[in-house]
């Protein structure tokens, strides 16, 4: 029997929640690194060329430290808001995609017009999805960041909602929203346009594996551009914690930022715009100690 949209959405939601739960420890450790929490000393190592360097603890060492401090469930702080965010995003995407499929017209496979239409539809979805899910992202980030100062200010979803609304109003749910959306929109357009240009003008149809190569072009572009747009994600996560009453977002760790551009400039000055982009083989950055005077 054909599956109904409700059954399909339920299956996708369940799958998304499972993947979110499995990958949450990775994002948890990444978030702690993003806010500059380095509780373990670096270890002496060497590069492939034999040059001695200092390596900061990778994911496994960091995760073991969190387990020692918080126990077996320690790596799952902030999981419930992320599951809520994943569920809402899946439901919104499913409804929008069904509407797009119903109204989509047949066009030439490589037409630029089709590229613009599909990218525009995807951009609208991502913006709407971010509007709906960003409050849960803020809650999740703050729950995880409590590990730094051992606070208990943010716990469950409802407690987070009440605390944020009481202290910051509706604007508190959208701290870091602008850089997050800008990063996603920039990534989407650049990825699709570059993949289109390469597939149209660089891949020769006479090549026997042209179709296979075109299938991988967008995947390769997405990996490259995700790294280049990472600073937007970092700034969004730092802004979500900044000046919310947690040690992870207050001096001397960070100054109180007046805007996300202020945060960007501060991290750029400290040469830290890519902090947290790697979870393995993290070399100690050669920078000056962070300054609280900005």
């Amino acid at each position: 029997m054909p599956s109904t949209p409700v059954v399909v959405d339920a299956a996708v939601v369940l799958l998304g929640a499972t993947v979110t739960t499995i990958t949450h420890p990775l994002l948890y450790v990444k978030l702690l690194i993003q806010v500059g929490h380095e509780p373990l000393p670096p270890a002496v190592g060497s590069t492939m060329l034999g040059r001695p360097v200092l390596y900061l603890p990778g994911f496994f060492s960091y995760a073991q430290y969190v387990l020692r401090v918080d126990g077996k469930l320690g790596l799952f702080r902030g999981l419930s808001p992320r599951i809520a965010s994943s569920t809402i995003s899946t439901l919104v995407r499913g409804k929008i995609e069904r509407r797009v499929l119903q109204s989509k017209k047949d066009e030439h496979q490589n037409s630029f017009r089709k590229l613009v239409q599909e990218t525009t539809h995807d951009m609208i979805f991502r913006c709407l999805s971010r509007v709906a899910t960003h409050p849960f992202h803020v809650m999740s980030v703050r729950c995880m960041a409590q590990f730094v100062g051992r606070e208990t200010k943010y716990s469950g979803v409802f407690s987070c909602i009440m605390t944020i609304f009481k202290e910051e109003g509706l604007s508190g749910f959208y701290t870091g929203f602008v850089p997050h959306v800008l990063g996603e929109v920039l990534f989407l357009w650049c990825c699709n346009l570059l993949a289109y240009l390469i597939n149209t003008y660089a891949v020769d149809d006479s090549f026997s594996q042209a179709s296979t190569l075109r299938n991988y072009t967008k995947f390769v572009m997405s990996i490259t551009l995700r790294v280049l747009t990472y600073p937007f994600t970092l700034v969004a996560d730092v802004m979500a914690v900044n000046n919310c009453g947690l040690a992870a977002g207050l001096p001397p760790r960070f100054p109180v930022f007046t805007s996300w551009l202020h945060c960007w400039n501060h991290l750029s000055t400290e040469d830290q715009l890519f902090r947290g982009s790697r979870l393995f083989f993290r070399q100690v950055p050669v920078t000056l100690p962070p300054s609280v005077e900005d």
Side-chain angles (χ1 to χ4, degrees), residues 33 37 72 87 100 114 167 187 210 281 294:
I33 296 173
H37 186 54
K72 294 182 178 179
T87 301
V100 171
K114 180 181 179 182
E167 295 184 356
F187 165 80
F281 305 107
D294 205 319

Side-chain angles (χ1 to χ4, degrees), residues 25-35 230 233 276-277 279:
L26 287 168
L27 273 78
Y28 186 14
V29 171
K30 179 179 179 180
L31 187 277
L32 295 178
I33 296 173
Q34 285 179 328
V35 298
Y230 176 80
T233 301
S277 60
L279 294 178

Side-chain angles (χ1 to χ4, degrees), residues 246-285:
L246 301 180
L250 291 172
R253 191 174 300 276
F254 288 109
V256 175
F257 299 119
T258 57
S259 68
W260 71 271
L261 291 175
H262 182 193
C263 178
W264 183 293
N265 290 333
H266 174 80
L267 292 171
S268 178
T269 302
E270 301 291 332
D271 194 23
Q272 294 290 300
L273 278 176
F274 289 90
R275 183 169 61 196
S277 60
R278 293 191 300 176
L279 294 178
F280 303 95
F281 305 107
R282 300 190 302 128
Q283 295 185 22
V284 176

Side-chain angles (χ1 to χ4, degrees), residues 18-76:
T18 302
V19 174
T20 298
T21 302
I22 295 173
T23 59
H24 187 75
L26 287 168
L27 273 78
Y28 186 14
V29 171
K30 179 179 179 180
L31 187 277
L32 295 178
I33 296 173
Q34 285 179 328
V35 298
H37 186 54
E38 297 291 350
L40 300 175
V44 178
S46 60
T47 63
M48 296 181 62
L49 300 177
R51 182 172 60 89
V53 293
L54 292 178
Y55 285 104
L56 292 170
F59 167 74
F60 294 109
S61 298
Y62 209 128
Q64 289 176 359
Y65 170 78
V66 174
L67 289 175
R68 289 197 302 269
V69 174
D70 274 354
K72 294 182 178 179
L73 297 179
L75 286 171
F76 294 93

Side-chain angles (χ1 to χ4, degrees), residues 4-134:
T4 63
V6 175
V7 174
V8 173
D9 285 345
V12 175
V13 166
L14 181 60
L15 177 61
T18 302
V19 174
T20 298
T21 302
I22 295 173
T23 59
H24 187 75
L26 287 168
L27 273 78
Y28 186 14
V29 171
K30 179 179 179 180
L31 187 277
L32 295 178
I33 296 173
Q34 285 179 328
V35 298
H37 186 54
E38 297 291 350
L40 300 175
V44 178
S46 60
T47 63
M48 296 181 62
L49 300 177
R51 182 172 60 89
V53 293
L54 292 178
Y55 285 104
L56 292 170
F59 167 74
F60 294 109
S61 298
Y62 209 128
Q64 289 176 359
Y65 170 78
V66 174
L67 289 175
R68 289 197 302 269
V69 174
D70 274 354
K72 294 182 178 179
L73 297 179
L75 286 171
F76 294 93
R77 281 175 178 255
L79 176 60
S80 54
R82 284 199 64 224
I83 291 179
S85 174
S86 173
T87 301
I88 294 173
S89 177
T90 299
L91 294 177
V92 172
R93 186 181 186 90
K95 291 184 178 296
I96 292 179
E97 284 186 343
R98 282 194 287 270
R99 289 180 179 271
V100 171
L101 288 174
Q102 290 174 358
S103 60
K104 186 179 290 186
K105 298 179 180 180
D106 293 331
E107 295 186 26
H108 191 267
Q109 183 178 2
N110 292 324
S111 70
F112 185 75
R113 181 181 176 185
K114 180 181 179 182
L115 170 73
V116 173
Q117 287 182 343
E118 290 182 348
T119 305
T120 302
H121 290 153
D122 201 359
M123 180 186 68
I124 293 173
F125 152 70
R126 293 188 184 216
C127 291
L128 291 175
S129 178
R130 178 56 58 184
V131 170
T133 61
H134 193 77

Side-chain angles (χ1 to χ4, degrees), residues 89-292:
S89 177
T90 299
L91 294 177
V92 172
R93 186 181 186 90
K95 291 184 178 296
I96 292 179
E97 284 186 343
R98 282 194 287 270
R99 289 180 179 271
V100 171
L101 288 174
Q102 290 174 358
S103 60
K104 186 179 290 186
K105 298 179 180 180
D106 293 331
E107 295 186 26
H108 191 267
Q109 183 178 2
N110 292 324
S111 70
F112 185 75
R113 181 181 176 185
K114 180 181 179 182
L115 170 73
V116 173
Q117 287 182 343
E118 290 182 348
T119 305
T120 302
H121 290 153
D122 201 359
M123 180 186 68
I124 293 173
F125 152 70
R126 293 188 184 216
C127 291
L128 291 175
S129 178
R130 178 56 58 184
V131 170
T133 61
H134 193 77
F136 296 97
H137 176 76
V138 172
M139 297 178 208
S140 179
V141 167
R142 293 186 179 183
C143 287
M144 291 185 284
Q146 289 183 134
F147 180 85
V148 176
R150 311 306 298 161
E151 298 101 343
T152 57
K153 183 177 180 179
Y154 301 95
S155 52
V157 174
F158 294 106
S159 173
C160 289
I161 292 174
M162 296 300 295
T163 301
I164 295 175
F165 184 77
K166 181 180 179 181
E167 295 184 356
E168 305 170 60
L170 290 176
S171 62
F173 294 101
Y174 288 93
T175 53
F177 175 78
V178 173
H180 226 150
V181 169
L182 286 178
E184 288 186 359
V185 171
L186 181 64
F187 165 80
L188 176 65
W189 279 99
C190 290
C191 182
N192 287 357
L193 287 173
L194 286 176
Y196 170 81
L197 292 174
I198 292 174
N199 288 338
T200 304
Y201 300 105
V203 180
D204 192 350
D205 290 331
S206 62
F207 181 55
S208 60
Q209 301 296 326
S211 59
T212 303
L213 185 60
R214 287 192 175 101
N215 291 333
Y216 285 100
T217 302
K218 192 171 182 179
F219 174 73
V220 175
M221 289 296 99
S222 66
I223 295 176
T224 304
L225 290 171
R226 185 62 72 185
V227 174
L228 296 178
T229 57
Y230 176 80
F232 289 94
T233 301
L234 173 61
V235 171
D237 290 344
V238 171
M239 287 299 297
V241 179
N242 190 247
N243 198 29
C244 69
L246 301 180
L250 291 172
R253 191 174 300 276
F254 288 109
V256 175
F257 299 119
T258 57
S259 68
W260 71 271
L261 291 175
H262 182 193
C263 178
W264 183 293
N265 290 333
H266 174 80
L267 292 171
S268 178
T269 302
E270 301 291 332
D271 194 23
Q272 294 290 300
L273 278 176
F274 289 90
R275 183 169 61 196
S277 60
R278 293 191 300 176
L279 294 178
F280 303 95
F281 305 107
R282 300 190 302 128
Q283 295 185 22
V284 176
V286 182
T287 57
L288 296 175
S291 172
V292 298

